[in-house]
Amino acid sequence: MKIYNTNQIKNIAIIGNSGSGKTSLAEAILFNSGVIDRLGDVNDKNTVSDYRDIEHENGISVTTTVLHSEWNKNKINIIDAPGADDFVGNINTAIQVSDLSLLLINAQNGVEVGTEIQLRNLEKYNKPFIVVINQLDNDKANFASSIEALKNSVGGNLILAQYPVETGENFNGIIDIITMKMIKFTDKGGKPEIVDIPDNEKDRAEELKNELIEKAAEGDDGLMELFFENETLTEDEMRKGITEGLIQRGMFPVFCISAKKNYGVTRLLDFISNVVPTPDQVPNLPTIDGSDVKIDPNGPASIFVFKTSVEEHVGEINYFKVMSGTISEGMDLINMNKQAKERLSQLFVVAGKNRTKVEKLVAGDFGATVKLKSTKTNHTLNASGTNWVFKDIEIPEPKYRTAIKPINEGDDEKLGEALDRIHQEDLSITVEYSKELKQIIVSGQGEYHLNIMKWYLDNLFKIDTEFLPPKIPYRETITKVAQADYRHKKQSGGAGQFGEVHMIIEPYVEGKADPSMFKIDGKEYKLSIRDKQEYDLDWGGKLIYYNCIVGGSIDARFLPAILKGIMEKMEEGPLTGSYARDIRVFIYDGKMHPVDSNEISFKLAGRNAFSMAFKNAGPKILEPIYDVEVFVPSDRMGDVMSDLQGRRAVVQGMSSEKGFEKISAKVPLAELGKYSTVLSSITGGKAMYSMKFAEYGQVPGDLQAELLKAYEKEQEEN
Ligand SMILES: Nc1nc2c(ncn2[C@@H]2O[C@H](COP(=O)(O)OP(=O)(O)OP(=O)(O)O)[C@@H](O)[C@H]2O)c(=O)[nH]1
Ligand SMILES: [Mg+2]
């Protein structure tokens, strides 16, 4: 296998709405560059990229596939990303790790919801992209309306580098504005003919050429001067300007193809190899300490692992990008995240499941290795003496959760291991063993995402499981001040037990001053605070514990035992057994017995006094509330709003953004159960949303009554 220099490498992600033709384009690229000698078809389940059983069964890509090919002496590394929003974790990885994305548009549909999401991510990560209009051979292809919609989303930096003479059945000619030639196709796979632009297209082509040249000049002062002097640019100057324009995101050129017919793909490859920036021309991935790592083949060796997967017959494979230096087979590196030594015993370049051994890889290149001991996605491996650690690839917050349980109880451990592996391969699936809910909660991007996960459990790990409705992590708190005394006394047989505790509890509010007295039911309680301890509870919120004992009515040595009793009750709240939070407790009096008082007695007295006071303190159940943002095309706004109202949503704001309405709302988690599925069905898959934990809020009275009743019933049954 040839060794490529940094300036011969192009790292491309293929992204776009689901079904836009990404995998078909990847296949056509491999075919044209001679990696394969037969053009596969996703419908025949024989493409290099969609090689997994699960992809054949579902007819879609479910994860990223790394591929490489050579064109004009350049190595083109490709990440074929999935399209469905459920896999946005993988899509984001592809965008962040590559140097430029091809944003595929299905010419029948123009800008779709996935296009919008991915445009947002490209902007967020400040990444360059080229727009590739695909499926122009389709009868319903509409180039003009696709461009119009794109202009709406992307703005004036969208610039035509090509346009089709006709679309649909007669799509067989592309006018190329950079070369000012027409590319003509005769039949599938045949080499295109390069001919002069027909007379009736010349005016339009000239006009577009001027726009392109002007845009190309914008990115570089020197070019701008030349442009003013000569009123044009040479082809080389224009190329330089476009490269600069791409890097600065000052220009998003549009190309035209039919991936299925393999039309326009070789011209796109020419452009990629001639004009697209090399890895050293764009910003490298960020490091934790902010140090700027140069993509330099002569620098110290450093690689960043962006994907870990388990493949049949090989085991675990780590896919990486060389961030600095040159790495070679047999090299020893240090895993900076685990502080462990690793040996790169074998290096590969990959095309789907096919691996080719390679001796060396230089900065900027993609490769893969096997048999690492402790390395996983997001780890940095360096030659000794370098402290760089690259930041984790950002992945979105989960927005769909379910509980899962093995059908056979004996499979508990096996399921745990399988879920861990699934998480390692797709970090956007998270697994939580909730002691509180007594459930295993798996979270991901949508119902489909988790169904795909279950497919792995069924087919790969052979573990029968079932999904159950996930419980809601409710909390309990109080709304007013209350007082209680409790005497624990036991004198039957052996040693006796005695402890008496008097306490006042009140809601904790941040910043509230310490009180000196309370008035409860007409009675005054004067307090002198001797000590105060503040506890941040593991489950969120606070407990403030005040010692206000005067005259030694309880020994200070019993205070920890009382606290222990209170904590026990807070862990299993008096109302529904949920965690309690945000309470101030004042121990102001009590009694001891010279012989029978001990820690157990005070623990029980504290626990019961707390429980009694709690019930008189206007107790409330709290539920998790999420900040939800929904993006919806204007014509579906009404349906989405009325659905949200049925979910107890409190709308915080609305705004219009690039043809979409953005609704911000606070919605209880309990009402978001199948939201991703419902939203998709009421908007025909045209809306998108994100959610993030915001705060705990009181549940409405009727729901509180229901929850209390359910808990009571559960207690009786137990
Ligand atoms: N007519 C026509 N169909 C195409 C073209 N490109 C792709 N298709 C079809 O579109 C469908 C989806 O193609 P894929 O290549 O799997 O699309 P994708 O973007 O990789 O899909 P996901 O990865 O699942 O999001 C398949 O039926 C393809 O045959 C094209 O240029 N013309
Ligand atoms: Mg695909």
mmCIF file of all heavy atoms in Angstrom, residues 580-614:
data_model
loop_
_atom_site.group_PDB
_atom_site.id
_atom_site.type_symbol
_atom_site.label_atom_id
_atom_site.label_comp_id
_atom_site.label_asym_id
_atom_site.label_seq_id
_atom_site.Cartn_x
_atom_site.Cartn_y
_atom_site.Cartn_z
ATOM 1 N N ALA A 580 -36.230 12.700 48.678
ATOM 2 C CA ALA A 580 -36.667 14.027 49.106
ATOM 3 C C ALA A 580 -35.506 15.002 48.950
ATOM 4 O O ALA A 580 -34.344 14.594 48.969
ATOM 5 C CB ALA A 580 -37.124 13.969 50.554
ATOM 6 N N ARG A 581 -35.818 16.288 48.782
ATOM 7 C CA ARG A 581 -34.755 17.272 48.572
ATOM 8 C C ARG A 581 -35.168 18.658 49.065
ATOM 9 O O ARG A 581 -36.339 18.913 49.303
ATOM 10 C CB ARG A 581 -34.362 17.348 47.099
ATOM 11 C CG ARG A 581 -35.515 17.651 46.160
ATOM 12 C CD ARG A 581 -35.050 17.779 44.741
ATOM 13 N NE ARG A 581 -34.406 19.078 44.517
ATOM 14 C CZ ARG A 581 -33.688 19.363 43.437
ATOM 15 N NH1 ARG A 581 -33.470 18.435 42.513
ATOM 16 N NH2 ARG A 581 -33.164 20.560 43.280
ATOM 17 N N ASP A 582 -34.180 19.494 49.215
ATOM 18 C CA ASP A 582 -34.367 20.914 49.509
ATOM 19 C C ASP A 582 -35.123 21.169 50.813
ATOM 20 O O ASP A 582 -36.220 21.736 50.812
ATOM 21 C CB ASP A 582 -35.058 21.605 48.323
ATOM 22 C CG ASP A 582 -34.184 21.585 47.085
ATOM 23 O OD1 ASP A 582 -32.948 21.605 47.247
ATOM 24 O OD2 ASP A 582 -34.720 21.525 45.962
ATOM 25 N N ILE A 583 -34.521 20.732 51.915
ATOM 26 C CA ILE A 583 -35.162 20.860 53.226
ATOM 27 C C ILE A 583 -34.143 21.358 54.251
ATOM 28 O O ILE A 583 -32.963 20.981 54.204
ATOM 29 C CB ILE A 583 -35.740 19.487 53.662
ATOM 30 C CG1 ILE A 583 -36.794 19.049 52.638
ATOM 31 C CG2 ILE A 583 -36.333 19.555 55.079
ATOM 32 C CD1 ILE A 583 -37.307 17.657 52.826
ATOM 33 N N ARG A 584 -34.617 22.237 55.177
ATOM 34 C CA ARG A 584 -33.783 22.616 56.323
ATOM 35 C C ARG A 584 -34.380 21.948 57.554
ATOM 36 O O ARG A 584 -35.597 21.977 57.757
ATOM 37 C CB ARG A 584 -33.803 24.127 56.540
ATOM 38 C CG ARG A 584 -33.376 24.917 55.314
ATOM 39 C CD ARG A 584 -32.673 26.197 55.683
ATOM 40 N NE ARG A 584 -33.527 27.258 56.177
ATOM 41 C CZ ARG A 584 -33.113 28.532 56.263
ATOM 42 N NH1 ARG A 584 -31.866 28.863 55.913
ATOM 43 N NH2 ARG A 584 -33.917 29.459 56.728
ATOM 44 N N VAL A 585 -33.531 21.323 58.355
ATOM 45 C CA VAL A 585 -33.995 20.623 59.552
ATOM 46 C C VAL A 585 -33.331 21.250 60.775
ATOM 47 O O VAL A 585 -32.105 21.433 60.792
ATOM 48 C CB VAL A 585 -33.625 19.123 59.491
ATOM 49 C CG1 VAL A 585 -34.080 18.415 60.768
ATOM 50 C CG2 VAL A 585 -34.238 18.462 58.265
ATOM 51 N N PHE A 586 -34.136 21.599 61.779
ATOM 52 C CA PHE A 586 -33.616 22.198 63.013
ATOM 53 C C PHE A 586 -33.904 21.243 64.158
ATOM 54 O O PHE A 586 -35.063 20.944 64.446
ATOM 55 C CB PHE A 586 -34.314 23.536 63.299
ATOM 56 C CG PHE A 586 -34.211 24.499 62.152
ATOM 57 C CD1 PHE A 586 -35.120 24.453 61.099
ATOM 58 C CD2 PHE A 586 -33.197 25.447 62.116
ATOM 59 C CE1 PHE A 586 -35.023 25.338 60.035
ATOM 60 C CE2 PHE A 586 -33.094 26.336 61.051
ATOM 61 C CZ PHE A 586 -34.006 26.281 60.008
ATOM 62 N N ILE A 587 -32.866 20.722 64.802
ATOM 63 C CA ILE A 587 -33.057 19.884 65.991
ATOM 64 C C ILE A 587 -32.902 20.826 67.182
ATOM 65 O O ILE A 587 -31.811 21.379 67.393
ATOM 66 C CB ILE A 587 -31.978 18.774 66.068
ATOM 67 C CG1 ILE A 587 -31.868 18.021 64.740
ATOM 68 C CG2 ILE A 587 -32.254 17.841 67.249
ATOM 69 C CD1 ILE A 587 -33.082 17.235 64.348
ATOM 70 N N TYR A 588 -33.976 21.059 67.903
ATOM 71 C CA TYR A 588 -33.882 22.095 68.944
ATOM 72 C C TYR A 588 -34.087 21.562 70.354
ATOM 73 O O TYR A 588 -33.835 22.256 71.334
ATOM 74 C CB TYR A 588 -34.869 23.237 68.662
ATOM 75 C CG TYR A 588 -36.326 22.818 68.783
ATOM 76 C CD1 TYR A 588 -37.012 22.916 69.997
ATOM 77 C CD2 TYR A 588 -37.004 22.300 67.686
ATOM 78 C CE1 TYR A 588 -38.330 22.524 70.106
ATOM 79 C CE2 TYR A 588 -38.319 21.904 67.783
ATOM 80 C CZ TYR A 588 -38.981 22.015 68.987
ATOM 81 O OH TYR A 588 -40.269 21.598 69.080
ATOM 82 N N ASP A 589 -34.581 20.307 70.468
ATOM 83 C CA ASP A 589 -34.797 19.793 71.828
ATOM 84 C C ASP A 589 -34.933 18.275 71.766
ATOM 85 O O ASP A 589 -34.988 17.685 70.693
ATOM 86 C CB ASP A 589 -36.068 20.431 72.416
ATOM 87 C CG ASP A 589 -36.046 20.394 73.955
ATOM 88 O OD1 ASP A 589 -35.055 19.882 74.516
ATOM 89 O OD2 ASP A 589 -37.022 20.868 74.564
ATOM 90 N N GLY A 590 -35.067 17.656 72.969
ATOM 91 C CA GLY A 590 -35.246 16.217 73.024
ATOM 92 C C GLY A 590 -34.982 15.722 74.429
ATOM 93 O O GLY A 590 -34.887 16.526 75.376
ATOM 94 N N LYS A 591 -34.895 14.420 74.552
ATOM 95 C CA LYS A 591 -34.629 13.840 75.882
ATOM 96 C C LYS A 591 -33.724 12.633 75.736
ATOM 97 O O LYS A 591 -33.778 11.927 74.732
ATOM 98 C CB LYS A 591 -35.951 13.393 76.509
ATOM 99 C CG LYS A 591 -36.655 14.483 77.285
ATOM 100 C CD LYS A 591 -37.638 13.859 78.291
ATOM 101 C CE LYS A 591 -38.401 14.950 79.013
ATOM 102 N NZ LYS A 591 -39.512 15.497 78.213
ATOM 103 N N MET A 592 -32.952 12.399 76.809
ATOM 104 C CA MET A 592 -32.119 11.194 76.827
ATOM 105 C C MET A 592 -32.465 10.405 78.075
ATOM 106 O O MET A 592 -33.026 10.935 79.027
ATOM 107 C CB MET A 592 -30.643 11.570 76.912
ATOM 108 C CG MET A 592 -30.110 12.244 75.682
ATOM 109 S SD MET A 592 -28.342 12.516 75.841
ATOM 110 C CE MET A 592 -28.276 13.695 77.157
ATOM 111 N N HIS A 593 -32.083 9.146 78.062
ATOM 112 C CA HIS A 593 -32.203 8.297 79.248
ATOM 113 C C HIS A 593 -30.786 7.914 79.634
ATOM 114 O O HIS A 593 -29.969 7.589 78.760
ATOM 115 C CB HIS A 593 -33.040 7.062 78.880
ATOM 116 C CG HIS A 593 -33.279 6.148 80.040
ATOM 117 N ND1 HIS A 593 -32.365 5.212 80.438
ATOM 118 C CD2 HIS A 593 -34.340 6.040 80.877
ATOM 119 C CE1 HIS A 593 -32.849 4.550 81.473
ATOM 120 N NE2 HIS A 593 -34.045 5.028 81.761
ATOM 121 N N PRO A 594 -30.467 8.004 80.939
ATOM 122 C CA PRO A 594 -29.066 7.782 81.341
ATOM 123 C C PRO A 594 -28.525 6.418 80.929
ATOM 124 O O PRO A 594 -27.328 6.268 80.679
ATOM 125 C CB PRO A 594 -29.108 7.907 82.868
ATOM 126 C CG PRO A 594 -30.549 7.932 83.262
ATOM 127 C CD PRO A 594 -31.358 8.323 82.077
ATOM 128 N N VAL A 595 -29.362 5.402 80.817
ATOM 129 C CA VAL A 595 -28.866 4.063 80.489
ATOM 130 C C VAL A 595 -29.285 3.632 79.086
ATOM 131 O O VAL A 595 -28.482 3.136 78.302
ATOM 132 C CB VAL A 595 -29.403 3.020 81.504
ATOM 133 C CG1 VAL A 595 -28.812 1.647 81.191
ATOM 134 C CG2 VAL A 595 -29.091 3.448 82.919
ATOM 135 N N ASP A 596 -30.565 3.854 78.735
ATOM 136 C CA ASP A 596 -31.127 3.243 77.526
ATOM 137 C C ASP A 596 -30.851 4.013 76.234
ATOM 138 O O ASP A 596 -31.088 3.505 75.145
ATOM 139 C CB ASP A 596 -32.646 3.083 77.679
ATOM 140 C CG ASP A 596 -32.981 2.056 78.753
ATOM 141 O OD1 ASP A 596 -32.039 1.331 79.159
ATOM 142 O OD2 ASP A 596 -34.147 1.984 79.167
ATOM 143 N N SER A 597 -30.387 5.265 76.340
ATOM 144 C CA SER A 597 -30.169 6.038 75.106
ATOM 145 C C SER A 597 -28.952 5.515 74.349
ATOM 146 O O SER A 597 -27.896 5.305 74.936
ATOM 147 C CB SER A 597 -29.979 7.517 75.443
ATOM 148 O OG SER A 597 -31.247 8.113 75.590
ATOM 149 N N ASN A 598 -29.139 5.292 73.083
ATOM 150 C CA ASN A 598 -28.014 4.892 72.219
ATOM 151 C C ASN A 598 -28.267 5.388 70.796
ATOM 152 O O ASN A 598 -29.291 6.026 70.517
ATOM 153 C CB ASN A 598 -27.818 3.380 72.251
ATOM 154 C CG ASN A 598 -29.089 2.654 71.868
ATOM 155 O OD1 ASN A 598 -30.023 3.256 71.325
ATOM 156 N ND2 ASN A 598 -29.150 1.369 72.155
ATOM 157 N N GLU A 599 -27.342 5.067 69.886
ATOM 158 C CA GLU A 599 -27.440 5.634 68.531
ATOM 159 C C GLU A 599 -28.670 5.141 67.791
ATOM 160 O O GLU A 599 -29.367 5.905 67.131
ATOM 161 C CB GLU A 599 -26.161 5.344 67.753
ATOM 162 C CG GLU A 599 -25.117 6.354 68.162
ATOM 163 C CD GLU A 599 -23.736 6.086 67.627
ATOM 164 O OE1 GLU A 599 -23.603 5.176 66.781
ATOM 165 O OE2 GLU A 599 -22.818 6.780 68.066
ATOM 166 N N ILE A 600 -28.921 3.841 67.904
ATOM 167 C CA ILE A 600 -30.094 3.270 67.224
ATOM 168 C C ILE A 600 -31.360 4.016 67.623
ATOM 169 O O ILE A 600 -32.184 4.371 66.775
ATOM 170 C CB ILE A 600 -30.269 1.786 67.642
ATOM 171 C CG1 ILE A 600 -29.172 0.936 67.021
ATOM 172 C CG2 ILE A 600 -31.639 1.255 67.263
ATOM 173 C CD1 ILE A 600 -29.456 0.521 65.603
ATOM 174 N N SER A 601 -31.515 4.264 68.920
ATOM 175 C CA SER A 601 -32.731 4.910 69.408
ATOM 176 C C SER A 601 -32.887 6.287 68.787
ATOM 177 O O SER A 601 -33.967 6.679 68.364
ATOM 178 C CB SER A 601 -32.687 5.066 70.922
ATOM 179 O OG SER A 601 -32.288 3.866 71.505
ATOM 180 N N PHE A 602 -31.766 7.051 68.714
ATOM 181 C CA PHE A 602 -31.871 8.404 68.164
ATOM 182 C C PHE A 602 -32.051 8.390 66.647
ATOM 183 O O PHE A 602 -32.704 9.264 66.082
ATOM 184 C CB PHE A 602 -30.689 9.259 68.614
ATOM 185 C CG PHE A 602 -30.950 9.871 69.959
ATOM 186 C CD1 PHE A 602 -30.426 9.314 71.115
ATOM 187 C CD2 PHE A 602 -31.796 10.971 70.062
ATOM 188 C CE1 PHE A 602 -30.718 9.853 72.358
ATOM 189 C CE2 PHE A 602 -32.090 11.516 71.304
ATOM 190 C CZ PHE A 602 -31.555 10.953 72.463
ATOM 191 N N LYS A 603 -31.480 7.364 66.029
ATOM 192 C CA LYS A 603 -31.680 7.262 64.586
ATOM 193 C C LYS A 603 -33.172 7.070 64.300
ATOM 194 O O LYS A 603 -33.753 7.746 63.452
ATOM 195 C CB LYS A 603 -30.878 6.088 64.018
ATOM 196 C CG LYS A 603 -30.849 6.081 62.510
ATOM 197 C CD LYS A 603 -30.084 4.919 61.945
ATOM 198 C CE LYS A 603 -31.044 3.841 61.557
ATOM 199 N NZ LYS A 603 -30.429 2.722 60.873
ATOM 200 N N LEU A 604 -33.783 6.159 65.048
ATOM 201 C CA LEU A 604 -35.204 5.882 64.825
ATOM 202 C C LEU A 604 -36.072 7.078 65.194
ATOM 203 O O LEU A 604 -37.029 7.412 64.488
ATOM 204 C CB LEU A 604 -35.626 4.645 65.619
ATOM 205 C CG LEU A 604 -35.055 3.353 65.039
ATOM 206 C CD1 LEU A 604 -35.279 2.183 65.987
ATOM 207 C CD2 LEU A 604 -35.661 3.057 63.670
ATOM 208 N N ALA A 605 -35.709 7.753 66.295
ATOM 209 C CA ALA A 605 -36.483 8.932 66.695
ATOM 210 C C ALA A 605 -36.378 10.020 65.629
ATOM 211 O O ALA A 605 -37.366 10.647 65.251
ATOM 212 C CB ALA A 605 -35.983 9.442 68.039
ATOM 213 N N GLY A 606 -35.144 10.231 65.103
ATOM 214 C CA GLY A 606 -34.932 11.251 64.059
ATOM 215 C C GLY A 606 -35.735 10.921 62.814
ATOM 216 O O GLY A 606 -36.401 11.770 62.222
ATOM 217 N N ARG A 607 -35.677 9.651 62.453
ATOM 218 C CA ARG A 607 -36.346 9.205 61.246
ATOM 219 C C ARG A 607 -37.864 9.417 61.342
ATOM 220 O O ARG A 607 -38.494 9.959 60.434
ATOM 221 C CB ARG A 607 -36.016 7.721 61.082
ATOM 222 C CG ARG A 607 -36.518 7.095 59.840
ATOM 223 C CD ARG A 607 -36.264 5.595 59.935
ATOM 224 N NE ARG A 607 -37.256 4.942 59.116
ATOM 225 C CZ ARG A 607 -36.972 4.280 58.013
ATOM 226 N NH1 ARG A 607 -35.727 4.147 57.633
ATOM 227 N NH2 ARG A 607 -37.930 3.750 57.302
ATOM 228 N N ASN A 608 -38.436 9.035 62.459
ATOM 229 C CA ASN A 608 -39.881 9.137 62.605
ATOM 230 C C ASN A 608 -40.346 10.575 62.807
ATOM 231 O O ASN A 608 -41.389 10.970 62.284
ATOM 232 C CB ASN A 608 -40.358 8.248 63.745
ATOM 233 C CG ASN A 608 -40.262 6.778 63.345
ATOM 234 O OD1 ASN A 608 -40.565 6.431 62.212
ATOM 235 N ND2 ASN A 608 -39.803 5.931 64.256
ATOM 236 N N ALA A 609 -39.563 11.363 63.548
ATOM 237 C CA ALA A 609 -39.933 12.774 63.719
ATOM 238 C C ALA A 609 -39.939 13.459 62.353
ATOM 239 O O ALA A 609 -40.838 14.216 62.018
ATOM 240 C CB ALA A 609 -38.943 13.464 64.656
ATOM 241 N N PHE A 610 -38.925 13.128 61.555
ATOM 242 C CA PHE A 610 -38.826 13.737 60.227
ATOM 243 C C PHE A 610 -40.039 13.365 59.372
ATOM 244 O O PHE A 610 -40.652 14.199 58.719
ATOM 245 C CB PHE A 610 -37.524 13.289 59.545
ATOM 246 C CG PHE A 610 -37.344 13.863 58.169
ATOM 247 C CD1 PHE A 610 -36.949 15.186 57.998
ATOM 248 C CD2 PHE A 610 -37.584 13.088 57.042
ATOM 249 C CE1 PHE A 610 -36.794 15.727 56.728
ATOM 250 C CE2 PHE A 610 -37.432 13.618 55.770
ATOM 251 C CZ PHE A 610 -37.031 14.944 55.613
ATOM 252 N N SER A 611 -40.381 12.081 59.423
ATOM 253 C CA SER A 611 -41.497 11.596 58.618
ATOM 254 C C SER A 611 -42.797 12.306 59.013
ATOM 255 O O SER A 611 -43.583 12.726 58.151
ATOM 256 C CB SER A 611 -41.615 10.093 58.831
ATOM 257 O OG SER A 611 -42.416 9.540 57.850
ATOM 258 N N MET A 612 -43.001 12.471 60.335
ATOM 259 C CA MET A 612 -44.222 13.139 60.811
ATOM 260 C C MET A 612 -44.248 14.609 60.403
ATOM 261 O O MET A 612 -45.251 15.114 59.900
ATOM 262 C CB MET A 612 -44.296 13.062 62.344
ATOM 263 C CG MET A 612 -44.831 11.735 62.870
ATOM 264 S SD MET A 612 -44.469 11.571 64.632
ATOM 265 C CE MET A 612 -45.408 12.927 65.309
ATOM 266 N N ALA A 613 -43.117 15.275 60.629
ATOM 267 C CA ALA A 613 -43.056 16.700 60.287
ATOM 268 C C ALA A 613 -43.282 16.875 58.779
ATOM 269 O O ALA A 613 -44.002 17.767 58.348
ATOM 270 C CB ALA A 613 -41.700 17.271 60.694
ATOM 271 N N PHE A 614 -42.674 15.991 58.015
ATOM 272 C CA PHE A 614 -42.755 16.067 56.547
ATOM 273 C C PHE A 614 -44.211 16.069 56.094
ATOM 274 O O PHE A 614 -44.621 16.866 55.252
ATOM 275 C CB PHE A 614 -42.008 14.866 55.955
ATOM 276 C CG PHE A 614 -41.689 14.993 54.495
ATOM 277 C CD1 PHE A 614 -40.447 15.463 54.081
ATOM 278 C CD2 PHE A 614 -42.609 14.630 53.532
ATOM 279 C CE1 PHE A 614 -40.143 15.581 52.736
ATOM 280 C CE2 PHE A 614 -42.313 14.745 52.183
ATOM 281 C CZ PHE A 614 -41.076 15.223 51.779
#
